[in-house]
Amino acid sequence: MKFIKMIVQRKILVGLLTVLVLLIGTYSLQKLDKELFPPIDFDGAYIVIYADDMQSIEVERSITSPLENSIMAIDGVDSVSSTSNIGVSSINVFFERGSGDEVYNELETIVSSTTANITGIRDVVTGKYSTNQPYDFFMDVSGGDLEEMTVFAQEILEPRLEDLKEVSDVLLTGIQEHEIIIEFKQEKLLSEGMVISDVIGFIQQNNSEATLGTIKEEQDSPSLRWNTKFENVEDIRSMKLPSLNGFVELGDVSTITLMPKENSSDVWKNGKKDFIFVQVGRVANVTQIDMANAVREEVKKIEEEGLVKGFDVNFIVSQADYVQESIDGVSNNILIGGILAVIILLLFLRNLRATFIVGISIPTSILLTFICMWLLDYSLNILTLIGLGLGIGMMVDSAIVILESIYRKREQGLKKLDAVLEGVKEVATAVIASMLTTIVVFLPIGLLGGELGQFMIILSVVVAVTLISSVVVSFTLIPALAEKFLKLKKKKAVKKEGKLLQTYSKLVSWTVKKTRNSIAVIGIFFLMFVGSLFLVTKIPMTIMPDVFNRYAELVISMESGITPEEKQTVVEEINERLSSITDVESNYIIDDGTYIFAIINMTKDKNITREQKEVNEEIFRSLRELTETQPIVGVQSSMDAGGASPVQVNIKGDDFEQLQSLADKFIQELEAIDGVVGISHSAERTSIEEVIELNENAIEEAGLTNFQIRQMIEQAFLHFPIGEVTVNNETLPLIVTWEERINRKADLLNLEIPTNDGTSKLSEFIQLKSVNMPNAITHIDGERYISISADMEGKDLGSINREVQNVIQKFETPVGYTVAAAGDLEQQQELMVEMMMILGLAIFLVYLVMAVQFNHLIQPIIVMSIIPMTIVGVILGLVLTQRELSIMSAMGIIMLIGIVLNNAILLIDRTNQLRNQGEEIENALIEAGKNRIRPIFMTTLTTAGGMLPLALASGTSGNYQAPMATVIISGLLFATFITLLLIPAVCKLFSTVGKVGKKMFKKKNRSNKDESSEINI
């Protein structure tokens, strides 16, 4: 206690340090970034390559496979999966843990160098899986002529926004772009004796610029530059070309037009693409809120200047709005929780000075927490705010226990300094043990892998830092203030025990009087625990709760290999369904090649007619009905994990026809399993492909080669860019094609081919064979596979899994082909093992801390006997409130394990002190209960009161906070009342068992001694 004595004697030092904490804490709060989710980079990346209408088999051959081979050679790449669709290659790359940044840089380089040599690619998008997205603010320009909106967006909106110091860049999608198309007249070219490849070569040579040399002996050594680049359409049309009849203009053998490009945007607003999608990114060290305010202010200025005419600028979604709502909501909850905690203290202590002493520890602890968050480079986000909200109730626990102990010593007549020293000494062990048991439950969470693990670590660290800060304040500020300011009311002649205390003393006396009474109490509580388990099915369950912010973001999974036309139909149908839902204002559909993302905005403020939960349910119900008529596999929230079918089996191999045959056979086996329904596989959707079969003899007789035939067929489908032309500061692609295009097989087969003997139809040299090819080809680590998916009905996952595994083991495959389970089934098993290990390790660490603290192996077991009763409170709380059991509420249960033990530790610690003073176990338990009932009720009610606003919270983060807070409040309140009877009963039982064991041991020793004495005789 030398440290406490030094603290009390150095009040000025404590005061100045407190002022320093307040100053630095206020400064650090201003410096903390404010965002919706913490910036976390995951060990993975994605690559999406767009190749217009290229067939999936060609996408696989020319794009996906070469890229996969290069990527798998990178050191640090764990696995690669890909899907080759019509016109799109989607590749997911997963890195070895902790090697993300270095591997991603190398990945970008390889993707850039590999795709540069592949023809037919329109666009390449790469990115890391991360919560820290490049764009935080989204808006659109719509409701007018696309040409006018494009000019506005490119010449006014984009440069004005990029000039803002808070904005890093602006991305425009869906702007009106143009292209110059040269449509060649085939008959004209033939009559002029011109070859199309030569004509294209002449155009490219003419549309060029280059530095040819340097005139060294002239002043400043000027360079000599050649420039014959086209400057307008007329330059192209008047270009001279050599022919059999002399020189002709390009316009004589072709039609040249400047025309708008077909909108290639992958974003729809209310089912249409006639708008411009604007994404705004922020610079480093600027919060989302600051950036959003700056953008809104600039857009307002643009509108006031009259530059928005004939169209509208609409704000779609801003992360900053939800960040501000979350900060305001949690801040209000923390403030209300703090006030409730102070009121509870005042009711119990009925001493304004004592209440003030504990109350001042709350802002001090919070600001100390902000300093730690600033040093750890954490931001104010939905997770750290929830951590702070949960910590607000617990952060006064240690202060209450210490102050109540000092207060009681003063009531017993001790002087100020002696009361402080003795009071702190009496509870120091219990306070430290309570803090450690609450914190150690978070340590195993670091073992939880993936995205969930990283989120939970941040939440755990904030809660742990909050508790450590509160304990530091409790052992420094509280003793110093208590010694100086704590005063007692005048003592009454005789202080009687209250009715509550008298009733409690009688109950504990009856419980510990006889062992059978203790067994009866334990039995009653055990029956309560078993009975509560039957209520588990009444609890609503989900993976991640929704964020109720009048905005929804969904992931819509599509069937593999749907065509662009089918996708457009799906988008229109989705828009029709969403538009019919009351309180849905607008919807934006974004296609990333693999999934469709839906951003849904709802009415706000005075226009709200329905609760968001009701709107969300109708959205999901309406869109999921489309699975019966549209190629939609599933609809889920973007926050949900998993989402795949519960039964998933992958068949790997090289030949597509063989894979399809094996898949059909395996599906027949699955259909025989009772409970397996809705079976499908990833290669069900196919497209007809015409395979060219050559007539080698006819080609040879005509004096041609296979290469010449291929070249002529390629020229028949001429349509590709051959350069660029800058017109009015806009860079336009220069496209060449035929005026008369090949649209049917007959057109191709009737094509005239020049030979040594004149011309012949192409049908004399080739035949076309129709084959079905998959619209989507999937790979894992470069190897083809077909995924078979199924749902289940009327049976549990475990029994289905056993039967599926049995089918897999018996299923025969050719050499080079394998069948294995995959998907949710495998992931759920891994997650279950991880969670059980984390829970087991958390309980062991709690036991370890208490065993070391008490220097006893049995007493921690007595303390931990309260854990099952905590689960009873949790189940009752969730059933009565109908809060969802989710990852967030599960996190609350893990936290609760550490919190509920605090009261039991206080009770056992005081019992040990009384036993060491010579009290019998029965008297020690009764007295310990009487001594600790006030601090136990105070800490429990302040914790529950501090978290009550979170449990009742609504708004942006309310659905995240409320389940976790509900779990903690219900579990803690129930466990507290049970603790005061269960712990004495368990203590009494263990004491009796110990006495019986000692008697048996002594009796055995005595009989051994008697036997040895007889032998000696």
Side-chain angles (χ1 to χ4, degrees), residues 245-358:
N245 304 317
F247 284 93
V248 297
E249 291 186 353
L250 179 58
D252 295 334
V253 294
S254 66
T255 302
I256 303 164
T257 53
L258 171 64
M259 58 189 301
K261 287 177 67 174
E262 184 180 349
N263 195 331
S264 59
S265 169
D266 297 309
V267 184
W268 292 262
K269 177 185 179 181
N270 298 331
K272 297 181 179 179
K273 292 185 176 183
D274 56 351
F275 75 104
I276 297 172
F277 186 50
V278 184
Q279 302 176 73
V280 186
R282 61 185 169 120
V283 298
N285 302 320
V286 170
T287 67
Q288 292 176 336
I289 296 171
D290 292 339
M291 187 268 286
N293 290 338
V295 170
R296 285 195 172 105
E297 188 64 31
E298 189 63 28
V299 171
K300 185 179 178 181
K301 289 179 182 177
I302 292 172
E303 290 176 336
E304 289 173 349
E305 292 170 15
L307 299 175
V308 180
K309 293 180 180 179
F311 49 85
D312 300 312
V313 178
N314 305 300
F315 301 120
I316 301 173
V317 60
S318 169
Q319 299 275 14
D321 296 339
Y322 310 131
V323 174
Q324 191 63 59
E325 287 177 25
S326 296
I327 291 173
D328 292 344
V330 178
S331 299
N332 291 335
N333 292 338
I334 289 174
L335 182 62
I336 296 169
I339 292 171
L340 286 174
V342 169
I343 292 172
I344 291 166
L345 284 174
L346 189 58
L347 290 173
F348 270 93
L349 296 177
R350 284 174 286 185
N351 186 308
L352 283 172
R353 289 180 177 241
T355 305
F356 171 76
I357 291 169
V358 175

Side-chain angles (χ1 to χ4, degrees), residues 534-584:
F534 292 99
L535 296 174
V536 171
T537 55
K538 305 294 184 182
I539 301 173
M541 298 185 185
T542 187
I543 297 172
M544 284 294 284
D546 289 325
V547 180
F548 289 154
N549 48 18
R550 307 303 294 177
Y551 160 83
E553 190 169 321
L554 310 181
V555 178
I556 302 171
S557 306
M558 309 292 290
E559 291 182 10
S560 300
I562 69 170
T563 63
E565 292 77 17
E566 289 174 317
K567 194 167 287 185
Q568 177 65 38
T569 302
V570 169
V571 170
E572 291 172 359
E573 189 66 31
I574 289 172
N575 173 64
E576 187 176 332
R577 291 296 182 104
L578 292 176
S579 300
S580 65
I581 297 174
T582 306
D583 271 23
V584 170

Side-chain angles (χ1 to χ4, degrees), residues 878-912:
L878 291 175
V879 169
L880 292 174
T881 61
Q882 282 298 288
R883 298 286 191 193
E884 293 173 328
L885 179 61
S886 63
I887 288 173
M888 300 305 291
S889 49
M891 187 71 184
I893 294 172
I894 293 174
M895 290 175 62
L896 195 57
I897 291 172
I899 298 169
V900 297
L901 300 180
N902 296 349
N903 294 333
I905 290 171
L906 279 174
L907 208 55
I908 292 294
D909 183 65
R910 183 57 181 158
T911 303
N912 288 341

Side-chain angles (χ1 to χ4, degrees), residues 790-810:
D791 212 333
M792 58 184 189
E793 188 176 82
K795 276 193 174 183
D796 63 279
L797 189 60
S799 58
I800 293 286
N801 178 34
R802 286 190 292 273
E803 293 190 55
V804 171
Q805 291 289 353
N806 190 37
V807 171
I808 291 173
Q809 290 172 6
K810 293 180 180 179

